[in-house]
Amino acid sequence: WQPDALRTPLYPLLMTTGYALSGSWPVTSLLLNILLAAVSVVLTARLARGLGQRAALTAAFIVAVDPASVLYTNHVVAEALFTLLLVATALSLRRALETQAMGPRILAGLFAALATLAKPAATYLLLWLTPFALAALVRRVGWRPALKSWGVVLLVFLVVLTPWLARNVVVHGFCHVTAIQELNLLLWNVAVLEGRQRQLGLRDAQA
């Protein structure tokens, strides 16, 4: 794997490490994905435990048998890792909203950043959650402690992302997690319009 402007680095690094340790064993990616998926099931149960034991078991069962999750686990794609980090982020955020301890805040920012480095879909997750998190924190501890608490989450998130963003600035000249948005715009939106104008199929227009 060679770093580029399109693929975020975490999943390729995980696969590279796995294959380096296993001696290029063919099923390494499958075993790693299964392990990641299994941990996601356990964390989902912990996340839903506040709703009762039955809810926790139901949530874990749904995640375990979800057809899309099962399908993606059998392919070399980042979905299993992303799901794990997303659930870990949610679990840490819940703890951060419930306690004054610093640990859950740090973990929430860390896991959110790692989820972004696994798949850029999580890039704006904390931004969208900010008003809801602040509202919950203000009701519990007041404005200043709420801003301080959420500020720690955002700071850790930015610190973890900074090396990858700096690398993209130096190598590619843009300060963003990935350039996949531009590629998707070209290969799908633009290609569809081009195909309609020139009466081409999608594959021909993309070419």
Side-chain angles (χ1 to χ4, degrees), residues 130-146:
T130 292
F132 305 103
L134 284 177
L137 287 168
V138 167
R139 284 197 299 269
R140 192 169 61 83
V141 298
W143 270 107
R144 287 188 177 181

Side-chain angles (χ1 to χ4, degrees), residues 156-179:
V156 173
F157 176 79
L158 291 175
V159 166
V160 176
L161 283 185
T162 294
W164 181 250
L165 294 175
R167 174 261 179 194
N168 284 342
V169 170
V170 172
V171 176
H172 301 293
F174 67 88
C175 185
H176 205 280
V177 175
T178 177

Side-chain angles (χ1 to χ4, degrees), residues 117-149:
L117 293 174
K119 284 184 71 70
T123 302
Y124 301 108
L125 173 63
L126 293 184
L127 179 63
W128 286 108
L129 289 177
T130 292
F132 305 103
L134 284 177
L137 287 168
V138 167
R139 284 197 299 269
R140 192 169 61 83
V141 298
W143 270 107
R144 287 188 177 181
L147 291 174
K148 180 180 178 181
S149 178

Side-chain angles (χ1 to χ4, degrees), residues 157-202:
F157 176 79
L158 291 175
V159 166
V160 176
L161 283 185
T162 294
W164 181 250
L165 294 175
R167 174 261 179 194
N168 284 342
V169 170
V170 172
V171 176
H172 301 293
F174 67 88
C175 185
H176 205 280
V177 175
T178 177
I180 194 67
Q181 303 96 321
E182 288 79 4
L183 181 65
N184 286 339
L185 180 64
L186 176 64
L187 291 182
W188 297 103
N189 299 59
V190 174
V192 169
L193 293 176
E194 182 75 8
R196 288 177 180 174
Q197 291 177 356
R198 299 175 57 188
Q199 295 184 344
L200 298 173
L202 179 59

Side-chain angles (χ1 to χ4, degrees), residues 59-138:
F61 177 77
I62 291 173
V63 171
V65 301
D66 171 55
S69 298
V70 173
L71 175 65
Y72 284 127
T73 299
N74 288 277
H75 296 275
V76 187
V77 291
E79 268 66 17
L81 176 61
F82 179 70
T83 300
L84 168 60
L85 293 170
L86 202 61
V87 177
T89 300
L91 189 58
S92 300
L93 284 174
R94 191 190 70 180
R95 291 289 298 149
L97 295 176
E98 293 174 347
T99 178
Q100 296 276 18
M102 184 67 68
R105 306 175 200 172
I106 294 174
L107 288 177
L110 173 63
F111 287 134
L114 292 177
T116 302
L117 293 174
K119 284 184 71 70
T123 302
Y124 301 108
L125 173 63
L126 293 184
L127 179 63
W128 286 108
L129 289 177
T130 292
F132 305 103
L134 284 177
L137 287 168
V138 167

